[in-house]
Amino acid sequence: MARKVKKAARTKRPAARRQGVVLLVATRKGAWLYHGDSARSTWRADGPHFLGHVISQLVLDPRDGRTLLAAAKTGHLGPTIFRSTDMGRTWKEAARPPAFAKAAEGKGRAVDHAFWLTPAPASEPDVWYAGTSPQGLFRSEDGGITWEPFSSINDDPQYRQWMGTVQDGTPDGPKLHSIIVDPRDSKHLYVGMSGGGVHESIDGGQTWRTLLNGLEVVAGLDAATPTFHDPHCMRLCPSNPDRLYQQNHCGIYRLDRPSDTWVRIGKNMPQRTGDIGFPMVVHPRDADTAWVFPMDGNTVWPRTSPEGKPAVYSTRNGGKTWQRHDAGLPTKQAWWTVKRQSMTADASDPIGLYFGTTSGELWMSRDEGRRWNCIASHLPEIYAVEAASRSA
């Protein structure tokens, strides 16, 4: 009689933890967190947080995956920053929010609101940067609890002149934005000022130089004057930190270091659409791939989707050619505005793209822009959208 052989029991490997996505949505009347499953097919709304307060941006710290900072302007507290260390279950106001140094009576400036938040690289785990309106640069070294004016850019007479007046800035106030820290060197910084142009520091903010070569300005103005430059959004390529993209008031540009001259790649966009807009998104793993959301840039600058037909445009070759993506979006009478912080991407494969409109709609694509669907509607005017990974 044949002997039965007992099969060895298979060792059951623990299942890999699948990653979901959380969308951080900042609006004119509060903030929302949308938690998506690993397939990005279902979404759970968490909010509102800070109902009634102006929230310019909500950012999750990628270094710990749980700390949130919210740039807020409140009716009774004024401009401030809130911090949560438990993914938004509880919040505390910053003990010392960004504020300009005191100056002689009548000569000082006051922060109207914090506008842009950037965490430093992992080598500086508690460091954050904030850009404000009017143009100011601030730094926190304790995770966002206290903030101090950073570097000489806030008070340097030359930079103050380049910043212009409140009337020279964007409709909701002049601002410093697009704070970029080179992941290879934390002393290498980029900032954009609207108005005031693009600036770079290689010594940790002690000194700055303009980075304006190749950028155009509105017809009739002098391109040699930084005041007349209006960068809308700059992005550094994670896969190639020597490449930057920029959506400017006067076109779409690319910069490949060590060159200091921007190239207007937006001239390759369809002429009828143009290359004027606010947001810029780059692929997390492919430096040749980027997306924009064009706005009508004719002489009256309505800041709406051209002809009321919204679409996202992508390039897969560094701006040599562009492709329109509008499947699932309205085909007419959709006069959307998408602000400079209101479009983002996750890190999935294929990546997901997301944008929010001033009419309070939140849209997403699971296939890098080829088809779109609406996640949420009837929100307040959306100011910023950020995407972050989380364990599902």
Side-chain angles (χ1 to χ4, degrees):
M1 184 175 180
R3 187 175 59 180
K4 292 183 179 181
V5 178
K6 187 176 182 180
K7 293 182 179 180
R10 291 183 179 179
T11 302
K12 191 173 182 179
R13 295 180 180 178
R17 299 191 73 180
R18 302 181 69 185
Q19 294 292 306
V21 175
V22 58
L23 300 180
L24 313 173
V25 183
T27 83
R28 189 170 180 264
K29 295 290 184 179
W32 279 258
L33 282 70
Y34 283 85
H35 296 268
D37 61 7
S38 57
R40 298 169 296 183
S41 59
T42 60
W43 298 88
R44 173 178 60 84
D46 173 9
H49 300 260
F50 313 110
L51 182 61
H53 296 171
V54 175
I55 307 297
S56 295
Q57 194 179 24
L58 183 64
V59 178
L60 177 65
D61 191 337
R63 298 163 297 189
D64 67 12
R66 66 178 185 276
T67 298
L68 290 165
L69 292 191
K73 184 177 181 180
T74 68
H76 59 291
L77 295 174
T80 191
I81 289 177
F82 288 99
R83 181 174 184 264
S84 171
T85 57
D86 53 15
M87 281 298 294
R89 287 188 286 274
T90 59
W91 295 89
K92 289 185 178 180
E93 185 189 0
R96 188 165 61 245
F100 291 114
K102 292 184 178 180
E105 187 175 351
K107 295 184 179 181
R109 294 189 298 163
V111 170
D112 181 80
H113 61 277
F115 178 75
W116 192 283
L117 296 168
T118 294
S123 59
E124 298 180 317
D126 293 317
V127 173
W128 285 80
Y129 294 91
T132 64
S133 176
Q135 300 96 318
L137 181 59
F138 298 84
R139 174 178 161 114
S140 172
E141 297 183 353
D142 55 13
I145 299 172
T146 61
W147 298 81
E148 297 290 346
F150 178 70
S151 88
S152 61
I153 199 169
N154 292 358
D155 300 309
D156 181 278
Q158 182 67 78
Y159 275 85
R160 288 289 298 276
Q161 180 180 343
W162 289 343
M163 292 173 187
T165 66
V166 173
Q167 287 73 27
D168 296 323
T170 57
D172 56 348
K175 50 184 60 67
L176 188 146
H177 58 84
S178 300
I179 304 168
I180 296 171
V181 186
D182 190 327
R184 304 161 300 184
D185 179 4
S186 61
K187 291 186 177 181
H188 185 198
L189 307 169
Y190 299 94
V191 299
M193 295 196 299
S194 299
V198 178
H199 305 269
E200 176 187 29
S201 174
I202 60 174
D203 56 12
Q206 295 182 49
T207 60
W208 297 83
R209 73 180 188 110
T210 58
L211 204 56
L212 303 176
N213 291 343
L215 298 178
E216 300 176 32
V217 295
V218 173
L221 300 178
D222 181 8
T225 303
T227 307
F228 300 137
H229 285 269
D230 187 3
H232 285 170
C233 183
M234 287 193 302
R235 299 294 185 185
L236 185 85
C237 294
S239 62
N240 177 13
D242 286 325
R243 172 171 287 183
L244 292 93
Y245 287 95
Q246 180 186 164
Q247 174 66 75
N248 190 286
H249 185 91
C250 294
I252 304 168
Y253 296 86
R254 193 188 77 217
L255 177 67
D256 291 299
R257 310 310 307 270
S259 172
D260 64 355
T261 299
W262 296 88
V263 177
R264 189 170 180 179
I265 58 176
K267 288 185 177 180
N268 299 323
M269 286 277 285
Q271 187 173 3
R272 187 171 180 176
T273 301
D275 64 339
I276 307 303
F278 292 110
M280 189 89 207
V281 175
V282 299
H283 197 290
R285 296 177 295 276
D286 181 2
D288 285 332
T289 299
W291 295 266
V292 294
F293 196 102
M295 298 281 103
D296 189 332
N298 68 29
T299 53
V300 298
W301 235 108
R303 299 177 174 86
T304 57
S305 301
E307 301 178 329
K309 301 174 182 179
V312 172
Y313 280 77
S314 71
T315 179
R316 300 280 177 173
N317 50 21
K320 295 177 182 177
T321 59
W322 296 86
Q323 182 179 0
R324 180 182 177 94
H325 302 290
D326 59 6
L329 299 177
T331 58
K332 61 182 179 180
Q333 294 297 328
W335 305 98
W336 291 348
T337 301
V338 177
K339 295 194 170 185
R340 73 187 77 197
Q341 295 168 289
S342 294
M343 187 174 175
T344 190
D346 63 30
S348 300
D349 187 14
I351 72 164
L353 290 172
Y354 312 86
F355 69 82
T357 72
T358 54
S359 55
E361 294 182 346
L362 181 62
W363 288 79
M364 71 91 62
S365 169
R366 297 182 189 88
D367 53 11
E368 304 195 355
R370 294 175 179 84
R371 183 164 186 83
W372 295 88
N373 64 281
C374 188
I375 297 176
S377 57
H378 311 306
L379 292 171
E381 178 179 356
I382 295 175
Y383 283 174
V385 180
E386 299 284 340
S389 297
R390 65 171 183 82
S391 296

